Amino acid sequence: MRPSFLLLPLLLAGSAALAAPTIGVSLQYRDTSVKPGDEFFDYANGGWYSAADIPADRSSIGVGYEVSQRAEKRNAELVRDAAAANAAAGTPQRMIADYYNAYMDTAGIEARGLAPLRPQLAEIGAIATQGDLARAMGKRLRADVDPLNNTNFFTENLFGLWVSQSLDDPSRTVPYLLQGGLGMPDREYYLGQDAHMQKVRAAYRTYVADMLRLAGMSDADARADRVIALENKIAAAHLDRTASEDVHKANNPWRTADLPRLAPGLDWQAYLGAAGLQSQPMIVAWQPGAIRALSGLVASEPLESWKDWLAFHTLNRNASYLPAAYDDLRFGFYGKALSGTTKQRDRWKRALSLVNADLGDAVGKIYAARYFPASSKAEVQGMVKNILVAFNRRIDGLSWMAPSTKREAKEKVRTLRVGVGYPETWRDYAGLVVRADDPVGNAERAREWEYRHQLSKLGRPVDRGEWWMTPQTVNAVNLPLQNALNFPAAILEAPYFDPKADAAANYGSIGAIIGHEISHSFDNTGAEFDASGKLKNWWTAADQAHFKEATKRLVEQYNSYEPVAGMHLNGEQILGENIADVAGLAAAYDAYHASLKGKPAPVIDGLTGDQRFFLAFAQSWRQKLREAALRQQIVTDGHAPAHQRALTVRNLDPWYAAYKVQPGDKLYLAPKDRVRIW
Ligand SMILES: [Zn+2]
């Protein structure tokens, strides 16, 4: 993901006992037999790493996991209280309780069997024309992608919708259409030739057939072959992840009246009508080539293949809400084969995740009021202010940058809108029907409610205060079009942020996160937007050339990492995140020193302030990950793995001084090879 901070799927709740929160840095987590200059991640985390066990129901363990467990425990309390309150119908508390209880009622779920999906499956079975097919697909369009904020490019529907302001005109809200249609996470899973991809592919083919068979469909194997053949063609038409991140390739406003000509095949009139988009004068085609190709496939591939594909994805999308046979089957592929996780998470934890996804603001409003003290908000706001000041000073100090470029950059910093903890306004979910006996319907209606909410933004003024993460999410995000940041309450927790810890530890951990999010405004994508959120070049040609050259060296630095034998990182795909890591750490370092107000930093536990700052940073990246999940991250994610993110320190001069890193040490970079961008 580009501007968001962490890899989200790995963070969604978990099990096992909550590790005792540590204050600042943890000396016992280190492996002091490792020389910091040879392997800083292992020096900082080696003791912890060798002792850490990944829980059976998780694909990873680490700081994000510890902090998300605290949020989960609180969410559990909150839901329990909502259930006990016996609140009136239509109130947020009642919706939370009914949604949760419906999912927990496994006896009811088993008794209903596949009945909740029968109407949808019958509707698919009755598709007889291209118009019917287009209507079925249009009805299923959801606001389930987000290429610039949360950088989520995945939807198993034919297309995904994202509603935000226009790249060219910050005063207008427009619909963006993105490629979709795959069941595996990325085209690489269909096209990649290595042994792991081939193994996952075979497991997917088996899974599709088993799911169709379980649902009682005839000739399940033949149908599965058709679904796979179709998805192979869809995958071949997809734009790859790195190209999808290029906002210049994405800015393609298409008049809806021209769609039949620009992307022939799909019955666009029927599709847009069913999607509720018929009155929109234009859509923005994010991946125009793929959208054109997918539309063509709708007409060129047999109707029967598309019907099987629709039936499979209807089952796949809802399997978690169906009887255990469906749920277990789904976990067998997405949990075991794709992520290497061996055990399904406890049902109540999954119920909490789903409530959080579908009633995010209802839970978030209570969460923020109960668990986010005003003192934390004030303290974090103070840190944000200090890091913004530090970032501004760094802009002033750039010898290579022209005054005109500096002026624009500082205007972006000045007008940045920083949200700490929770949004100023909340969704009220009015009109959403939540029933205690209908988990499938609750989920489907919630997705549709979210979709209608997003559509309702079209034609209204842009709200720069809109949040794109809920307060109970352990993550943070930069919103390039809104020139804004969201720091949810749930990440402003120890050990990321600990009111009791020393400044070095807090600036090295949450400070670097804050710096990272600010820096996204100036990464390879963020730097393309001006202070108003308009896609506009505000750089002189010479400055742009210098910036490109520096980022190229960062691409090469990360290309050289090989976290799995034979599998290198793609430095281009993760460039934005790495720019944000380098620049964010540098700004946090400066802000830490400014916070000392000229006094010497205290030496604590034998560590200087700078040693603690860099140690806290590397420890904030302690994580242990299953190999299958690591492979998935390398292919599909905009972030480098945690281990390599900890090695950001190689680009900062003070790290060399703090840990006496010398030429000959494995991580040593000559001063000219250290990447300094901001
Ligand atoms: Zn980020």
Side-chain angles (χ1 to χ4, degrees):
M1 296 182 237
R2 220 201 98 257
S4 77
F5 180 64
L6 292 159
L7 171 66
L8 202 61
L10 298 173
L11 287 171
L12 293 173
S15 74
L18 181 61
T22 51
I23 295 179
V25 299
S26 303
L27 300 183
Q28 74 278 15
Y29 285 171
R30 293 177 302 168
D31 178 352
T32 51
S33 73
V34 175
K35 209 171 155 188
D38 279 344
E39 226 327 329
F40 197 58
F41 179 91
D42 292 346
Y43 162 76
N45 301 307
W48 172 85
Y49 195 92
S50 57
D53 271 328
I54 303 173
D57 64 347
R58 302 277 309 192
S59 59
S60 72
I61 187 170
V63 176
Y65 170 75
E66 289 167 25
V67 176
S68 69
Q69 284 216 293
R70 194 172 310 133
E72 182 181 71
K73 196 166 153 274
R74 290 167 172 177
N75 285 333
E77 276 172 17
L78 191 158
V79 169
R80 205 181 313 123
D81 293 351
N86 201 15
T91 59
Q93 282 202 315
R94 180 61 179 265
M95 286 188 190
I96 292 169
D98 285 349
Y99 191 107
Y100 181 86
N101 288 333
Y103 190 74
M104 291 304 288
D105 175 21
T106 50
I109 287 171
E110 294 295 332
R112 286 185 288 272
L114 199 55
L117 282 188
R118 292 272 179 226
Q120 280 202 59
L121 293 172
E123 184 193 52
I124 293 165
I127 291 174
T129 65
Q130 282 286 327
D132 294 344
L133 178 61
R135 267 184 293 279
M137 287 171 162
K139 243 173 93 172
R140 283 166 175 76
L141 181 64
R142 289 293 173 263
D144 53 2
V145 290
D146 171 359
L148 274 176
N149 301 320
N150 287 304
T151 46
N152 169 21
F153 290 93
F154 181 82
T155 174
E156 58 184 307
N157 293 323
L158 183 68
F159 300 126
L161 191 79
W162 183 57
V163 178
S164 192
Q165 72 198 53
S166 158
L167 293 163
D168 299 317
D169 177 2
S171 71
R172 280 196 311 132
T173 304
V174 297
Y176 295 85
L177 206 61
L178 274 74
Q179 67 187 17
L182 302 178
M184 290 194 282
D186 186 271
R187 75 196 295 271
E188 194 54 27
Y189 279 84
Y190 294 82
L191 308 172
Q193 284 309 312
D194 72 45
H196 177 75
M197 291 306 188
Q198 296 190 26
K199 203 177 102 196
V200 173
R201 216 142 55 215
Y204 184 58
R205 158 70 180 70
T206 306
Y207 167 63
V208 174
D210 287 350
M211 183 59 88
L212 294 171
R213 196 173 296 116
L214 184 63
M217 300 186 72
S218 61
D219 303 318
D221 284 300
R223 288 179 198 267
D225 287 338
R226 288 202 288 264
V227 171
I228 301 290
L230 183 54
E231 290 192 13
N232 282 336
K233 289 183 182 173
I234 294 172
H238 265 207
L239 198 61
D240 71 23
R241 169 71 196 227
T242 304
S244 293
E245 288 175 358
D246 184 345
V247 72
H248 291 290
K249 293 194 170 91
N251 192 14
N252 311 289
W254 284 359
R255 278 169 19 109
T256 43
D258 295 339
L259 283 168
R261 183 174 58 77
L262 293 168
L266 175 67
D267 181 341
W268 283 101
Q269 201 186 351
Y271 183 87
L272 295 174
L277 288 167
Q278 66 278 13
S279 59
Q280 291 304 313
M282 55 81 73
I283 56 121
V284 179
W286 195 270
Q287 299 115 330
I291 289 169
R292 191 176 298 122
L294 264 54
S295 174
L297 287 173
V298 172
S300 67
E301 295 304 299
L303 200 59
E304 287 312 310
S305 298
W306 283 110
K307 289 170 70 172
D308 291 334
W309 174 87
L310 271 175
F312 166 70
H313 284 287
T314 298
L315 292 161
N316 189 43
R317 191 173 60 244
N318 290 291
S320 308
Y321 307 87
L322 292 173
Y326 294 89
D327 189 28
D328 292 346
L329 202 54
R330 187 178 203 284
F331 177 74
F333 179 70
Y334 288 98
K336 288 182 185 164
L338 257 182
S339 309
T341 310
T342 52
K343 183 178 162 281
Q344 179 89 277
R345 270 188 302 152
D346 292 342
R347 194 164 184 91
W348 67 269
K349 294 177 178 175
R350 298 165 61 208
L352 288 178
S353 293
L354 296 171
V355 174
N356 273 330
D358 284 340
L359 295 169
D361 269 27
V363 176
K365 191 174 179 182
I366 305 173
Y367 185 100
R370 262 201 210 181
Y371 302 115
F372 189 57
S375 56
S376 284
K377 179 160 174 145
E379 202 169 328
V380 171
Q381 281 174 326
M383 287 181 77
V384 170
K385 209 168 131 227
N386 294 346
I387 295 166
L388 284 170
V389 168
F391 202 92
N392 239 342
R393 283 213 190 101
R394 295 189 73 88
I395 295 170
D396 280 330
L398 295 172
S399 56
W400 51 272
M401 190 176 270
S404 63
T405 313
K406 284 185 179 178
R407 205 161 42 241
E408 290 288 341
K410 288 169 76 170
E411 180 62 9
K412 268 195 92 164
V413 175
R414 190 185 68 77
T415 54
L416 189 66
R417 187 162 169 159
V418 183
V420 174
Y422 48 87
E424 283 156 34
T425 56
W426 301 93
R427 310 247 185 111
D428 64 4
Y429 300 100
L432 175 60
V433 175
V434 180
R435 286 170 37 190
D437 63 353
D438 186 16
V440 170
N442 290 342
E444 292 276 18
R445 285 187 295 270
R447 292 181 205 125
E448 191 182 352
W449 191 93
E450 173 63 22
Y451 179 69
R452 299 285 156 200
H453 169 79
Q454 293 296 333
L455 289 192
S456 75
K457 285 158 48 180
L458 293 165
R460 287 213 315 250
V462 170
D463 173 14
R464 279 191 59 212
E466 182 183 10
W467 271 53
W468 292 81
M469 268 180 188
T470 62
Q472 66 276 29
T473 304
V474 182
N475 210 333
V477 67
N478 179 304
L479 316 170
L481 290 170
Q482 292 168 222
N483 193 24
L485 311 178
N486 297 161
F487 293 105
I491 199 173
L492 305 174
E493 289 282 338
Y496 289 129
F497 166 69
D498 186 344
K500 298 191 289 297
D502 61 313
N506 276 335
Y507 275 97
S509 190
I510 196 71
I513 295 174
I514 294 167
H516 171 103
E517 294 307 337
I518 293 169
S519 303
H520 267 311
S521 297
F522 303 95
D523 70 14
N524 53 323
T525 300
E528 308 272 358
F529 294 86
D530 72 6
S532 72
K534 184 175 177 182
L535 184 64
K536 182 184 147 195
N537 183 9
W538 43 273
W539 295 67
T540 67
D543 289 345
Q544 198 161 44
H546 182 104
F547 182 72
K548 288 254 156 72
E549 168 58 27
T551 60
K552 200 171 135 248
R553 288 192 293 122
L554 199 58
V555 169
E556 285 158 9
Q557 188 178 112
Y558 279 80
N559 278 343
S560 73
Y561 293 128
E562 189 181 354
V564 182
M567 204 174 181
H568 282 260
L569 296 184
N570 177 348
E572 190 67 42
Q573 175 181 316
I574 55 181
L575 175 61
E577 293 299 333
N578 294 333
I579 294 172
D581 277 349
V582 173
L585 187 60
Y589 178 84
D590 291 355
Y592 162 56
H593 275 265
S595 80
L596 296 171
K597 298 195 171 37
K599 296 199 196 96
V603 173
I604 302 173
D605 297 327
L607 296 173
T608 65
D610 278 14
Q611 285 174 333
R612 290 175 65 79
F613 173 86
F614 289 113
L615 182 60
F617 175 72
Q619 291 196 332
S620 77
W621 288 115
R622 71 172 179 273
Q623 190 196 43
K624 194 172 191 172
L625 188 61
R626 294 186 195 281
E627 189 183 312
L630 177 57
R631 285 175 179 276
Q632 189 180 338
Q633 179 177 1
I634 293 169
V635 172
T636 64
D637 207 276
H639 302 83
H643 185 127
Q644 283 70 32
R645 294 185 74 175
L647 305 185
T648 303
V649 296
R650 301 173 77 192
N651 296 296
L652 273 76
D653 296 338
W655 175 72
Y656 289 80
Y659 283 99
K660 302 192 173 39
V661 180
Q662 305 289 338
D665 292 347
K666 291 195 186 102
L667 291 176
Y668 179 85
L669 289 172
K672 69 169 177 41
D673 295 326
R674 297 171 198 165
V675 179
R676 286 165 252 253
I677 296 176
W678 290 97

